[in-house]
Amino acid sequence: LTAVPLQAQPYRAGDTFYGTLGVGLSEYTGDASPSGTPYSLGHFGEEAGLPYVLRGELGYQIIPQLAIGASVETGNYPFTDPDGRLSTTRSAAQLLLRYTMRAETWKYAPYVDVGRVVTFEGVRGGHGVSLGLGVDVAMTRRLSINVEARRSLLWPDNALDDRGVGLNGLDQLGQL
């Protein structure tokens, strides 16, 4: 008898285009937020409505571990307008670079991404950095389910909430 080495199929494909859709909770931390802390659960459903975000992303999976993508998102970010002068809807576009750890060998693979973000609503557009952490659960080589948390740090400080005081000179949008 001779031993024949076997190569298992990798969990994720490379050299392919991908698309994702997402829904989750939105969060705003800035000069107009009531507590200055993320995910103030006691304020859900107050006058500004339910905090939600809808997201879509298209990209290219260069190799199983590395992808580049472009996303758009829109959502309701309560407390960006405590005075009622602006809408609490915020939309953004992002260009992201994603690294997935152990993408070929782990079914549940953690990932990190970083990129640039531009917002469209508020007093005027803001721009900044987007950071994401998540877990990619491979269902097949070409189908995954992701659980992700994202934070966008945005300048100028008054772009989202028309307030330019405090909180490190920036506003933050978060998604879970």
Side-chain angles (χ1 to χ4, degrees):
L1 295 173
T2 58
V4 178
L6 298 175
Q7 176 84 20
Q9 288 279 339
Y11 276 111
R12 289 162 191 85
D15 190 25
T16 188
F17 290 96
Y18 70 89
T20 65
L21 296 173
V23 63
L25 296 174
S26 66
E27 187 277 323
Y28 154 80
T29 302
D31 305 314
S33 58
S35 63
T37 60
Y39 300 104
S40 304
L41 298 177
H43 300 289
F44 279 17
E46 289 184 3
E47 291 179 26
L50 182 68
Y52 70 89
V53 65
L54 303 173
R55 186 168 188 274
E57 181 178 333
L58 294 175
Y60 183 70
Q61 191 77 34
I62 302 165
I63 58 176
Q65 298 87 356
L66 191 62
I68 187 166
S71 73
V72 292
E73 63 186 43
T74 189
N76 184 37
Y77 290 85
F79 315 112
T80 52
D81 182 31
D83 303 326
R85 295 177 293 128
L86 305 169
S87 167
T88 58
T89 300
R90 299 292 180 267
S91 297
Q94 301 165 338
L95 183 59
L96 303 167
L97 182 66
R98 178 172 296 124
Y99 176 74
T100 305
M101 294 161 235
R102 306 284 185 157
E104 292 180 315
T105 57
W106 288 1
K107 181 174 182 158
Y108 303 93
Y111 66 85
V112 60
D113 62 36
V114 63
R116 294 283 296 160
V117 60
V118 176
T119 62
F120 303 111
E121 277 122 354
V123 178
R124 62 177 181 262
H127 60 91
V129 177
S130 180
L131 306 167
L133 293 172
V135 175
D136 179 302
V137 181
M139 306 307 282
T140 69
R141 284 192 74 218
R142 298 200 183 266
L143 179 66
S144 292
I145 295 174
N146 295 339
V147 177
E148 175 179 277
R150 175 166 308 286
R151 200 87 180 143
S152 295
L153 309 175
L154 300 156
W155 297 271
D157 187 29
N158 66 345
L160 294 178
D161 56 17
D162 199 23
R163 294 169 187 240
V165 294
L167 206 64
N168 305 318
L170 55 90
D171 290 326
Q172 302 174 44
L173 296 180
Q175 298 87 33
L176 180 63

